Amino acid sequence: MSEPQRSRGAACIVVGGGVTGLSAAWWLAREGVDTLVIEAGPIGWAASGRNGGGCSHHHSPLFREEQRLWPLMDELLGYPTEFQPNRIRIALSESQMTLFRRAFDNAAHQGFRTDILDPKQVRELVPLAGENVHGGYFHHFGGHANPHRTVQAYAWALQDQGGRIMQHTCVEGFDRRGSRIAGVVTNRGAFSCDHVVIAAGPATSTLAAQLGITVPLMTARAEMIVTEPLPLMPVGGVDGNGLYGRQTLRGNLAYGGGPHEWVLMADTPPVRPHSTILQGSIARRLSELLPKAGHARVIRSWAGFIENTPDGRPVIDRPPELENLTIATLSSVGFGLSPAAGRAIRDLVVNGACTFADLSIFKLSRFAALEADWRSRQGWLPIGPGASAVA
Amino acid sequence: MSCIDPASVAGKAPPIDLTTDLLIIGAGPAGMSAALTAAGHGVRVMLVDENPIPSRTMAEDVPLHFGGRMAATLSNQNAVLERLVDANPRLLQAMDAGVDVRLGTAVWGLFPQHSTAAWLGGAVAGLADTESVYLVRFKQAIVATGRRDMGLAFAGWQRPGVMGVSAAYRLAITYGALEAKVAVLVGSDTEALHSANALAEAGVRIEAILEQSVHVVGSPQILASLTSRGTRVFTRHVVQEACGDNFGVTSIKIVEVDAEGHHLRERAQMLSCDTLLLGIGAVPTIELVEACGCEVSFLAERGGHVPLIDAWQRTSLPNIYVAGDCAGIWPSKTLSDAVASREGRLAANAALSALNVPAAAVEECPVTPDIPVCDLSANRLSWVRASVLGSSTDPTVCQCEEVTAAEMLSLRPPRYLGWTARTSCQEQHEPPSNPDVVKRLTRAGMGACQGRRCREQIAALIALESKMTLADIPLATYRPPVRPLTLAQLASLPESPAMAPHWDSWFGMPTQWVPFWRVPGAYTVATRNSNEPAGGE
């Protein structure tokens, strides 16, 4: 990655080198927009690189585009994402079967097919499943990809289009001129620009606040585990029983789920997200979901910091207070939607509105009447001494 | 009005019956002296040591690179245990002094309280023995987990018989179960010479010592002891290939190298041996302390990445201490247990004082490392350059995931993806600067041995490529469990009854998964619809 000149700017500066910002930057660069991504750490180091890799978000207005794009991404990017189509969700109880029915209904509403599986069919498709299967769903949509590889694919594809990435560069402020942002000020100099995209995960809120824009966010820590490689199952996108995850193309089982811990942004980096003994509870549910994998050794755990809006839905919006700002947080569900979210952000930057989906539910204005003490009302409080610092 | 998010970890800490005031991990010289120092002061002291290690774990080169050279006698675990206790009379002394001694018990994770990981309400350790996996609450912990050997790739290094010199020492001296007759030592620092000399005294013929540098690096006295037994010394030499069959090494081809590490192919020769002892670098075993958040740094005088400590062996975390080789390795410490013992006493006294025990008057001075005899970074980089990059065969460096140096440095997607670049610009991205990036993209270091055989080599390859020193390369992170545990084992950990009712695959937010065509316009907490099912997907 070539070092930009200190004074050099870009037509569009994307603050945040996670999966959303990199995808947006790549879509912009494909369009011929001179794009610079500024990332405080290494790219994809936070939740973008540490997630289940799922691509099946049937509740989202971006779902159709997510489904259209994923099978094309390796070709479009020129690098492998390890995308694999389809998903099987296993229910171990009647109540799980009922809960998982929602995906069936939501997808059917949009014209996508799901087959209901009996226990025998589940065991045929998922050799690691056991006698405890109640039933399952085979979704003829969705799938999964490798988050690390996808993040890097966006970055390389962006650079192949002439876009630039500055890693380990902290945004310290914005050069605001009236209702326009004229530049981005970093610890490595100032960069002028015509448009700014803030897609900085948990930091989105504090960055937007510097521009007088309120983005209500709270950050949490969540955990995953990964096993040694096992023989590949016919479908790697298998989850259920309160877990999300996949079997990787190498054969590892990578799964997460369960409770999260709300944290204070002030405590997040430099403190790295630590995994805890929650890995035992995840392992317990994974060995119920795939009992024939009980002998597999867990060789690693992960934790990550993830932001959520009060309603858990994304913000992808151009706030009316500024002429040339786009804000994006996917509210903890960003990886799978990234191809579509990046394209939507490109549309917002270039056209002022999304051309392929109605994103009105992602507007910031939905929080206009949000209670000031929403965090404590929702119980989104850190544990321990920090708790009292949160309104 | 305030409440607790029912889908969060708050209030869900598991029941943990076992509690100790001071947990000491490792019963080597440092851990033993810490335990005996702390005993008898009215605090509960628990001393755990993973030896005897299950033979299946050893077969996976965990925690040391045992290279498949374990003798059959290892399968008699009782005899092994008896030998361990006989060899370490201070274990019985500790038991008599009231220390809760647990042998054959590995610590696979330390979970101290962090501001962002506070739900356990205190520090917890994860333990495992052959029977069960369990948790212990502790107030203070002294980590004395010793050392392991830096790996070094060359053609055939995956063969049985290629092993770490500390691993050989452990098998021969601790277990009396090393299957080796004729060995060649690769590397010549004092740590390697000391271990090799002990092996020689235990009856292993040390046929030769290979050193890529022009001089032997370590103690001349120990070298003399070895050469007096007939050991030959080949400076400016590296292994070109370890030859043999499925049962292991039968001979090696060694080759002279020039000052740039190039192989002088006409200067190759064969040596007969059944074992190759990798002794190019003794590495402090910091996986537990690094994984739990202690600040670490590359300190050449301490043998590599070590936790940053004060004069009392205290790490950056208030209740975690290190002592012995995992706090740093240097020749005088290797040659005398007294140094590690002193560190153990310092740590124990500091821990006692943190536990508000009026500690015995302490006259211990802080322990400081020797002045280095060579540039540790340059030495290890030269080894990797001459052995790995100098080889014409591009040997596999990460054995678990079968990744070569060239694949690592070009960040090539794994071979099983069958990817080929479409354009030349796709081959020309900037080289990696972080081992974790190499790991994520090539899978190097991601395997079942948890990177123990390749991580120092990967750092060295990155440093060589970018013309930096080892101190400039970030340490690839360690993550629990630092010992492989099966899903079934981990699943047996205790869980709060409060965990299951609100368990959800994601944040358990009713509003997050409402399909977009049913989402109301404005959002407030008071008017949110909580009747939707909470389950995430």
Side-chain angles (χ1 to χ4, degrees), chain A residues 1 42-45 49-50 57-61 74-80 82 89 99-100 102-103 106 109-110 148-149 152 156 159-160 167 220-223 225 227-229 241-244 248-250 252-253 256-263 267-268 271-272 274-287 293-302 305-306 308-313 331-333 361 366-367 369-371 373-374 376-381 383, chain B residues 1-12 14 16 56 60 108 111 114-120 124 126 135 290-293 400-401 410-414 416-417 419-420 422-423 425-427 429-430 433-434 436-437 439-443 445-448 450 477-481 483-495 499-500 503-528 533-537:
Chain A
M1 284 159 236
I43 56 165
W45 216 244
R50 295 180 178 186
H57 301 100
H58 45 78
H59 63 291
S60 171
D74 284 19
E75 186 60 27
L76 289 172
L77 295 167
Y79 301 93
E82 295 189 25
R89 184 152 292 144
L99 177 66
F100 301 160
R102 187 176 46 185
N106 286 352
H109 181 88
Q110 297 170 81
H148 300 326
R149 218 169 286 299
Q152 190 63 63
W156 280 337
Q159 292 171 320
D160 292 345
Q167 302 186 85
R221 187 183 53 76
E223 302 187 28
I225 59 173
T227 70
E228 65 185 331
N241 195 36
L243 299 172
Y244 62 89
T248 69
L249 282 184
R250 174 72 173 91
N252 314 76
L253 303 177
H260 45 273
E261 179 163 353
W262 296 107
V263 302
D267 290 331
T268 61
V271 179
R272 91 174 186 235
H274 288 277
S275 49
T276 70
I277 58 168
L278 188 70
Q279 57 199 277
S281 295
I282 298 172
R284 175 184 291 219
R285 281 151 187 85
L286 183 52
S287 58
H295 66 287
R297 286 161 307 168
V298 176
I299 56 176
R300 207 159 41 245
S301 61
W302 309 327
F305 294 128
I306 314 150
N308 255 311
T309 65
D311 58 9
R313 288 192 286 269
S331 192
S332 80
V333 188
I361 66 164
R366 69 184 187 271
F367 299 123
L370 182 70
E371 297 89 340
D373 60 348
W374 65 274
S376 64
R377 282 171 176 256
Q378 297 194 165
W380 290 14
L381 300 173
I383 297 163
Chain B
M1 65 189 249
S2 179
C3 60
I4 289 175
D5 174 5
S8 77
V9 285
K12 295 179 184 170
I16 303 173
R56 186 188 164 196
E60 288 151 358
W108 49 268
F111 306 99
H114 291 282
S115 57
T116 56
W119 69 289
L120 296 175
V124 173
L135 303 172
E290 200 282 337
C292 82
C400 297
E401 299 290 325
S410 61
L411 292 179
R412 273 197 73 79
Y416 60 82
L417 292 177
W419 180 82
T420 45
R422 281 195 309 228
T423 63
C425 72
Q426 290 183 329
E427 291 282 13
H429 299 291
E430 70 171 18
S433 58
N434 188 317
D436 275 326
V437 170
K439 175 174 162 181
R440 290 169 171 213
L441 297 177
T442 70
R443 303 194 62 90
M446 238 186 203
Q450 300 180 308
T477 55
Y478 290 94
R479 247 80 63 58
R483 295 289 177 271
L485 298 175
T486 67
L487 271 180
Q489 281 178 302
L490 260 186
S492 71
L493 283 177
E495 183 177 289
M499 189 70 86
W503 182 281
D504 184 61
S505 63
W506 203 225
F507 276 77
M509 298 166 64
T511 51
Q512 187 161 36
W513 306 101
V514 176
F516 63 90
W517 56 91
R518 290 203 285 111
V519 170
Y523 178 87
T524 65
V525 183
T527 60
R528 69 177 161 162
E537 299 186 41

Side-chain angles (χ1 to χ4, degrees), chain A residues 71-93:
Chain A
L72 308 174
M73 290 310 285
D74 284 19
E75 186 60 27
L76 289 172
L77 295 167
Y79 301 93
T81 63
E82 295 189 25
F83 172 74
Q84 297 289 301
N86 303 327
R87 180 154 290 268
I88 292 173
R89 184 152 292 144
I90 300 175
L92 301 184
S93 65

Side-chain angles (χ1 to χ4, degrees), chain B residues 217-237:
Chain B
V217 181
S219 158
Q221 292 80 12
I222 308 177
L223 179 66
S225 161
L226 280 162
T227 51
S228 71
R229 292 173 189 267
T231 299
R232 293 185 283 165
V233 177
F234 295 88
T235 55
R236 275 266 185 264
H237 273 77

Side-chain angles (χ1 to χ4, degrees), chain B residues 158-513:
Chain B
Q158 72 283 0
R159 288 191 195 287
V162 179
M163 66 187 308
V165 70
S166 303
Y169 181 94
R170 175 83 63 89
L171 282 180
I173 309 303
T174 311
Y175 288 79
L178 175 67
E179 199 104 304
K181 292 190 173 65
V182 182
V184 170
L185 175 66
V186 184
S188 70
D189 64 14
T190 296
E191 284 66 40
L193 295 177
H194 175 71
S195 295
N197 196 43
L199 292 171
E201 283 167 8
V204 180
R205 176 176 168 77
I206 307 296
E207 177 66 27
I209 296 169
L210 307 185
E211 170 54 53
Q212 59 78 31
S213 169
V214 281
H215 301 296
V216 164
V217 181
S219 158
Q221 292 80 12
I222 308 177
L223 179 66
S225 161
L226 280 162
T227 51
S228 71
R229 292 173 189 267
T231 299
R232 293 185 283 165
V233 177
F234 295 88
T235 55
R236 275 266 185 264
H237 273 77
V238 298
V239 181
Q240 186 171 318
E241 186 178 359
C243 312
D245 51 31
N246 287 342
F247 298 104
V249 177
T250 52
S251 64
I252 58 169
K253 186 190 248 184
I254 65 170
V255 64
E256 192 172 332
V257 294
D258 67 16
E260 273 72 51
H262 300 121
H263 292 199
L264 308 172
R265 308 204 138 270
E266 67 284 4
R267 304 281 189 87
Q269 55 185 304
M270 301 295 294
L271 296 178
S272 281
C273 64
D274 54 49
T275 300
L276 257 177
L277 304 167
L278 300 183
I280 62 165
V283 180
T285 301
I286 62 164
E287 50 206 21
L288 272 177
V289 278
E290 200 282 337
C292 82
C294 297
E295 208 178 325
V296 304
S297 188
F298 185 92
L299 298 179
E301 69 277 22
R302 288 179 179 268
H305 279 97
V306 284
L308 296 176
I309 53 171
D310 66 7
W312 296 88
Q313 306 291 129
R314 278 187 289 226
T315 69
S316 64
L317 292 182
N319 55 346
I320 311 276
Y321 310 74
V322 288
D325 280 351
C326 78
I329 299 168
W330 56 87
S332 65
K333 194 188 210 175
T334 294
L335 297 178
S336 164
D337 286 350
V339 183
S341 297
R342 189 142 62 91
E343 290 180 328
R345 287 195 298 275
L346 280 164
N349 280 315
L352 285 176
S353 138
L355 290 166
N356 296 317
V357 173
V362 185
E363 287 99 34
E364 300 283 354
C365 334
V367 173
T368 50
D370 298 345
I371 293 163
V373 294
C374 74
D375 180 338
L376 184 99
S377 169
N379 188 266
R380 290 184 185 172
L381 293 182
S382 297
W383 268 112
V384 171
R385 188 178 60 170
S387 186
V388 184
L389 296 178
S391 167
S392 59
T393 58
D394 192 20
T396 295
V397 175
C398 170
Q399 293 189 19
C400 297
E401 299 290 325
E402 297 184 10
V403 191
T404 69
E407 289 169 327
M408 289 176 194
L409 293 174
S410 61
L411 292 179
R412 273 197 73 79
R415 285 172 231 163
Y416 60 82
L417 292 177
W419 180 82
T420 45
R422 281 195 309 228
T423 63
S424 61
C425 72
Q426 290 183 329
E427 291 282 13
Q428 291 166 0
H429 299 291
E430 70 171 18
S433 58
N434 188 317
D436 275 326
V437 170
V438 172
K439 175 174 162 181
R440 290 169 171 213
L441 297 177
T442 70
R443 303 194 62 90
M446 238 186 203
C449 90
Q450 300 180 308
R452 286 178 179 84
R453 294 175 296 198
C454 65
R455 63 165 52 231
E456 287 77 28
Q457 294 183 80
I458 296 171
L461 288 166
I462 294 171
L464 287 165
E465 180 77 6
S466 50
K467 299 191 170 32
M468 293 198 280
T469 72
L470 285 177
D472 301 322
I473 308 301
L475 181 68
T477 55
Y478 290 94
R479 247 80 63 58
V482 302
R483 295 289 177 271
L485 298 175
T486 67
L487 271 180
Q489 281 178 302
L490 260 186
S492 71
L493 283 177
E495 183 177 289
S496 162
M499 189 70 86
H502 292 283
W503 182 281
D504 184 61
S505 63
W506 203 225
F507 276 77
M509 298 166 64
T511 51
Q512 187 161 36
W513 306 101

Side-chain angles (χ1 to χ4, degrees), chain B residues 8-74:
Chain B
S8 77
V9 285
K12 295 179 184 170
I16 303 173
D17 300 331
L18 199 54
T19 303
T20 190
D21 296 312
L22 176 57
L23 173 66
I24 300 169
I25 304 161
M32 275 315 319
S33 85
L36 292 173
T37 304
H41 288 85
V43 301
R44 294 165 295 180
V45 181
M46 182 185 289
L47 173 66
V48 300
D49 191 283
E50 67 182 319
N51 295 290
I53 300 163
S55 38
R56 186 188 164 196
T57 307
M58 284 185 158
E60 288 151 358
D61 286 337
V62 176
L64 303 176
H65 187 175
F66 291 109
R69 279 294 186 250
M70 297 80 73
T73 51
L74 267 186

